[in-house]
Amino acid sequence: MDNRFVVLTEYFRANNTGRRKEINKSIEVNCRIPQTKSVIIFIDPEIEFPPSLKRILSEEDYGKIKFQYTKPKSRSTYADFFSYANKNLIGENCILCNNDISFLLPI
């Protein structure tokens, strides 16, 4: 049995550079921990996901990222996350978190 977690979060391009770095760091940390099976990122299809994350993560860790595209120019709602999980993640251990939350060992 796979006891790892699926992390569901949102990515948006914050106006503040410091805030963008904080969000990117949280995504990086959540991809690197062994207890993370995948990180589902809800993202506006018109926003570029930061290429720096692909450069700093290993291929295996970057491969944990899955994109769920939202409606253009809109943010995800709790209903979006729960609907996705109910349709696609039955039987999985899921964590829904803000994009600036990262998890340390052990979860």
Side-chain angles (χ1 to χ4, degrees), residues 8-86:
L8 295 106
T9 193
E10 177 185 41
Y11 182 82
F12 65 91
R13 185 165 167 75
N15 293 328
N16 179 286
T17 303
R19 181 83 172 116
R20 282 195 303 269
K21 288 180 181 178
E22 178 184 22
I23 292 167
N24 292 351
K25 186 64 175 178
S26 291
I27 293 170
E28 174 192 345
V29 169
N30 289 337
C31 287
R32 286 188 173 174
I33 59 175
Q35 288 90 350
T36 301
K37 182 176 184 177
S38 62
V39 178
I40 312 294
I41 298 177
F42 285 64
I43 186 171
D44 179 332
E46 296 178 359
I47 293 181
E48 179 185 23
F49 190 70
S52 60
L53 279 171
K54 189 168 188 171
R55 288 191 301 270
I56 61 173
L57 288 170
S58 70
E59 188 175 324
E60 178 184 353
D61 288 339
Y62 188 81
K64 291 180 180 180
I65 297 174
K66 311 285 185 251
F67 296 103
Q68 175 63 30
Y69 294 101
T70 61
K71 295 175 191 165
K73 299 186 185 345
S74 69
R75 300 270 309 268
S76 300
T77 64
Y78 283 113
D80 295 328
F81 289 109
F82 286 108
S83 176
Y84 179 88
N86 286 332

